[in-house]
């Protein structure tokens, strides 16, 4: 618009237009300021959105990392439990066989028996919870070539030869329960063997290259019976199939001066000392060359492979995320603690007695297998032997020699077995050990000519001091401190009453003072 010259006759009109323009300018300024503020607010809003998004991404990443570490620890723990029976058995094999000659301590070169000629004395501190019913005969076999196990005619003497592979599975159990007692020869062959079985031999294929026979021969503890049992033990033989029927002289393999582990520490301590990486590498190597996994283990192995635990492949912690490496540093201890917390999986508690069942064959119950490896290696099939034990009386209080206790079997209700039974007394002192006593008596059983009560029941006495000369046949001497009585039932009855189906259970331990 042309406003013309300022002043003069058009001044009033000019002034009006100026006021209007000024007003519009103010409004435009305000609108502009409003737009800038809006833009600022919008920019701030989007910045906040970006920060929130970044924080969310960070939180998600942290959670994902935490989940990743947890998954790795869970897998590694399960793998540790899975392999514990194999590593324990293999470490035990190395410690027992890397010696020059056999000895009564159950050490000896492979493919040769070591025999225990007498029951251990009161001060024995070798294997925890020693036995005073049967004499042990042990042989580790290397089945790189087939071997033949032979025993003589055992007559009516109770005997048992459970055969255990490296996974701690009992795959055969020749003995009084399963055979007729006559002389026998068993051909034992490793994985993949093919060949002819000589006439008169029973062929038993073995899933692992190494295995152990832990024989037991009954003896009543007298000099005469020891002599008879020892004569049988001397005839337990291992012969290479290639030398069967030919003159054969055993030659022990050379001792390995550097077996890679302590030869004197307990297997559990040896395994802990391996650390995480050493443990899984031991496991990987054995699964590759001597103990292939069972077919049923395939799903577990696929899961373990996620963190690099595989047969025949070295396990390297350094290849894992640093956070995972740190989390697995104490795995041996935490895994063993978890195994220890599952000891009750070995059986069921009834009236204070822990009755172990289902041992020797574990399927995919890797935890139960690990518990037995850690606290009861190598166990027995329940059909051969069941060992209920207790630490408490009928009220749940700990058993101690400061008190006196009784266990009474009603008439006709002594432990139902086809073999024999006994109760062994153990004191607790960094292990379960025999109790020194004036009678040198560590067990009580029918071979003590137990005296019955007038009603036909039989009462046993668990106490530190003698219950009197007339009752000493039924007395099981206890220490002054805490103790554990263990009932051994060899070849338990399968039909009721039976400890196997729960139709018979040990009577409660009653405190009498």
């Amino acid at each position: 618009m042309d406003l013309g010259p300022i002043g003069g006759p058009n001044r009033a009109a000019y002034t009006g237009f100026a006021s209007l323009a000024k007003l519009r300018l103010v409004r435009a300024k305000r609108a502009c300021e409003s737009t800038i503020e809006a833009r600022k607010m919008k920019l701030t809003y989007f910045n906040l959105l970006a920060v929130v998004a970044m924080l969310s991404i960070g939180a998600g990443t942290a959670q994902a990392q935490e989940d990743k570490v947890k998954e790795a620890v869970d897998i590694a723990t399960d793998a540790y439990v899975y392999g514990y029976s194999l590593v324990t058995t293999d470490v035990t094999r190395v410690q027992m066989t890397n010696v020059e000659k056999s000895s009564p301590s159950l050490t000896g070169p492979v493919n040769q028996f070591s025999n225990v000629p007498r029951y251990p004395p009161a001060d024995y501190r070798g294997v925890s919870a020693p036995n005073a019913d049967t004499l042990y005969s042990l042989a580790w076999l290397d089945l790189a070539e087939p071997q033949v196990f032979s025993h003589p005619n055992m007559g009516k003497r109770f005997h048992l030869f459970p055969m255990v592979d490296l996974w701690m599975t009992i795959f055969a159990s020749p003995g009084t329960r399963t055979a007729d007692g006559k002389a026998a020869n068993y051909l034992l062959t490793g994985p993949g063997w093919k060949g002819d079985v000589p006439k008169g031999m029973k062929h038993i294929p073995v899933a692992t290259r190494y295995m152990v026979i832990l024989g037991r021969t009954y003896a009543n503890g007298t000099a005469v019976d020891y002599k008879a049992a020892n004569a049988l033990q001397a005839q337990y033989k291992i012969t290479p199939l290639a030398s069967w029927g030919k003159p054969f002289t055993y030659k022990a393999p050379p001792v390995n001066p550097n077996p890679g582990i302590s030869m004197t520490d307990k297997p559990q301590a040896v395994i802990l000392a391996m650390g995480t990486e050493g443990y899984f590498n031991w496991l990987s190597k054995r699964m590759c060359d001597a103990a292939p996994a069972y077919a049923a283990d395939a799903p577990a192995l696929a899961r373990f492979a996620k963190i690099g635990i595989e047969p025949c492949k070295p396990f390297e912690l350094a290849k894992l995320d640093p956070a995972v490496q740190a989390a697995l540093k104490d795995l041996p201890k935490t895994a063993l603690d978890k195994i220890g917390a599952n000891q009750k999986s070995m059986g069921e508690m009834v009236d204070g007695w822990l009755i172990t069942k289902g041992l020797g064959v574990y399927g995919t119950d890797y935890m139960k297998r690990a518990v037995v490896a850690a606290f009861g290696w190598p166990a027995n099939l329940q059909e051969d032997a069941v060992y209920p034990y207790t630490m408490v009386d009928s009220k749940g209080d700990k058993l101690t020699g400061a008190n006196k206790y009784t266990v009474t079997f009603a008439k006709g209700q002594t432990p139902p077995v086809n073999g024999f039974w006994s109760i062994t007394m153990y004191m607790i002192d960094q292990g379960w050990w025999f109790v020194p006593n004036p009678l040198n008596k560590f067990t009580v059983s029918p071979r003590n000519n137990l005296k019955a009560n007038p009603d036909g029941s039989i009462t046993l006495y668990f106490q530190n001091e003698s219950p009197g000369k007339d009752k000493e046949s039924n007395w099981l001497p206890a220490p002054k401190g805490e103790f554990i009585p263990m009932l051994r039932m060899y070849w338990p009855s399968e039909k009721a009453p039976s400890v196997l189906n729960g139709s018979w259970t040990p009577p409660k331990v009653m405190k009498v003072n």
Side-chain angles (χ1 to χ4, degrees):
M1 176 183 297
D2 183 10
L3 296 179
I6 297 176
N10 295 322
R11 184 182 182 107
Y14 172 80
T15 302
F17 281 118
S19 298
L20 179 60
K22 186 177 181 180
L23 177 61
R24 288 179 176 176
L25 182 62
V26 170
R27 288 177 178 176
K29 182 180 179 182
R30 288 177 179 174
C32 182
E33 289 175 348
S34 177
T35 301
I36 292 172
E37 187 64 28
R39 287 177 179 173
K40 287 182 179 179
M41 291 180 66
K42 188 174 184 180
L43 182 61
T44 301
Y45 173 74
F46 282 116
N47 284 341
L48 287 173
L49 278 182
V51 171
V52 170
M54 290 177 65
L55 290 174
S56 298
I57 292 171
T61 302
Q63 183 62 51
Q65 176 71 359
E66 184 178 331
D67 291 344
K68 179 181 178 181
V69 172
K70 183 180 183 303
E71 181 186 26
V73 170
D74 288 345
I75 291 173
T77 301
D78 290 345
Y80 201 96
V81 169
Y82 168 82
Y84 202 78
S85 64
L86 173 56
V87 178
T88 298
T89 306
D90 199 49
V91 166
T92 303
R93 174 189 66 83
V94 173
Q95 290 184 326
M96 284 186 163
T97 62
N98 192 37
V99 296
E100 293 182 352
K101 59 182 180 179
S102 299
S103 76
S105 63
L106 294 181
T107 59
V110 293
N111 302 331
Q112 189 176 45
F113 269 101
S114 301
N115 297 306
V116 175
R118 298 287 188 276
Y119 294 136
D123 61 356
Y124 174 75
R125 291 295 182 273
V127 179
S128 187
N131 180 336
D133 294 304
T134 61
L135 300 175
Y136 288 120
S137 296
L138 183 143
W140 285 94
L141 276 61
D142 180 353
L143 300 179
E145 62 174 306
Q147 303 290 327
V148 180
F149 161 54
S150 306
H151 69 71
N153 190 324
M154 304 297 292
K156 294 183 179 180
R157 184 179 294 271
F158 184 89
H159 60 286
L160 181 62
F161 297 106
M163 299 177 176
V164 188
D165 69 16
L166 279 183
W167 287 102
M168 210 180 68
T169 296
I170 298 177
F171 56 88
S173 189
T176 302
R177 176 179 66 86
T178 59
D180 55 13
K182 295 180 180 178
N185 300 303
Y186 298 90
L187 174 61
L188 299 158
T189 59
W193 180 82
K194 294 180 180 179
D196 296 326
V197 179
K199 186 177 180 180
M201 287 187 188
K202 180 178 180 180
H203 180 210
I204 302 178
V206 185
T208 61
R209 171 178 169 176
Y210 301 101
M211 58 162 285
V212 63
I213 300 173
L214 184 52
R216 296 170 175 84
T217 307
Y218 177 81
N220 65 20
T222 65
V224 172
D225 201 53
Y226 274 144
K227 185 177 180 180
N230 295 163
L232 292 171
Q233 289 176 297
Q235 298 176 71
Y236 302 161
K237 300 292 183 182
I238 303 296
T239 308
L241 178 60
S243 299
W244 186 252
K246 306 173 185 177
F248 170 68
T249 301
Y250 177 81
K251 184 179 180 180
V255 171
N256 183 352
N258 185 23
I261 58 172
S262 167
M263 290 290 290
T264 55
D265 290 340
K266 303 285 187 187
Q268 197 173 93
V270 170
I271 295 171
L272 282 173
M274 290 178 178
T276 303
E277 193 169 85
Y279 177 90
F280 286 127
N281 277 317
W282 191 291
L283 177 63
S284 171
K285 186 175 187 304
R286 281 294 168 262
M287 290 178 68
C288 180
D289 64 10
Y294 299 135
D297 298 341
L301 295 186
R303 182 165 171 262
F304 302 154
K306 291 181 179 180
I307 59 171
I309 301 172
E310 299 180 76
C312 309
K313 295 183 179 180
F315 174 75
E316 298 179 63
L317 269 175
K319 289 186 175 181
L320 300 178
D321 184 284
V324 174
Q325 294 180 46
L328 296 182
K329 182 180 178 181
D330 295 326
L331 178 66
K333 183 180 183 306
T334 57
L336 186 58
D337 288 344
K338 185 174 182 179
I339 291 170
N342 279 272
Q343 285 193 56
K344 290 185 178 180
S345 68
M346 291 176 69
E348 59 181 331
M349 192 71 70
V350 180
D351 291 335
W353 292 84
L354 180 63
I355 304 175
T356 56
K357 295 181 182 178
L359 309 185
V361 177
Y362 307 95
T364 57
D365 192 343
Y366 307 132
M367 177 57 76
K368 188 171 188 175
R369 188 174 69 182
V371 170
V372 175
F375 303 103
W377 184 94
N380 277 304
L381 296 175
Q382 66 178 25
E383 292 83 3
D384 286 324
V386 176
Y387 298 161
Y389 68 87
T390 183
M391 298 181 176
V392 298
D393 62 18
S394 60
K395 295 183 178 179
D397 297 326
K398 287 186 176 181
L399 300 175
T400 170
N403 301 317
K404 298 178 181 179
Y405 306 89
T406 61
V407 167
T408 300
F409 298 108
K411 183 179 180 179
Q413 291 298 308
T414 54
V417 294
N418 297 308
F420 65 94
W421 67 270
S422 73
I423 300 180
T424 308
M425 175 66 70
Y426 297 113
M427 62 179 180
I428 305 174
D429 179 20
Q430 297 181 341
W432 299 359
W433 311 113
F434 287 153
V435 179
N437 62 86
L439 300 183
N440 200 37
K441 183 179 182 182
F442 310 135
T443 68
V444 62
S445 71
R447 71 175 184 242
N448 297 118
N449 297 316
L450 303 175
K451 293 183 179 178
N453 299 315
D455 64 356
S457 63
I458 294 177
T459 298
L460 305 180
Y461 303 90
F462 299 167
Q463 56 191 63
N464 181 249
E465 298 179 352
S466 170
K469 285 289 184 181
D470 60 326
K471 297 178 180 178
E472 283 189 349
S473 62
N474 296 33
W475 176 38
L476 187 55
K480 292 183 178 180
E482 294 181 12
F483 65 84
I484 295 172
M486 177 182 285
L487 170 61
R488 281 183 162 86
M489 301 175 65
Y490 287 91
W491 191 4
S493 299
E494 295 182 6
K495 296 181 180 179
S498 171
V499 70
L500 299 180
N501 61 22
S503 57
W504 182 92
T505 56
K508 297 179 181 179
V509 178
M510 307 299 295
K511 180 181 173 183
V512 295
N513 69 321

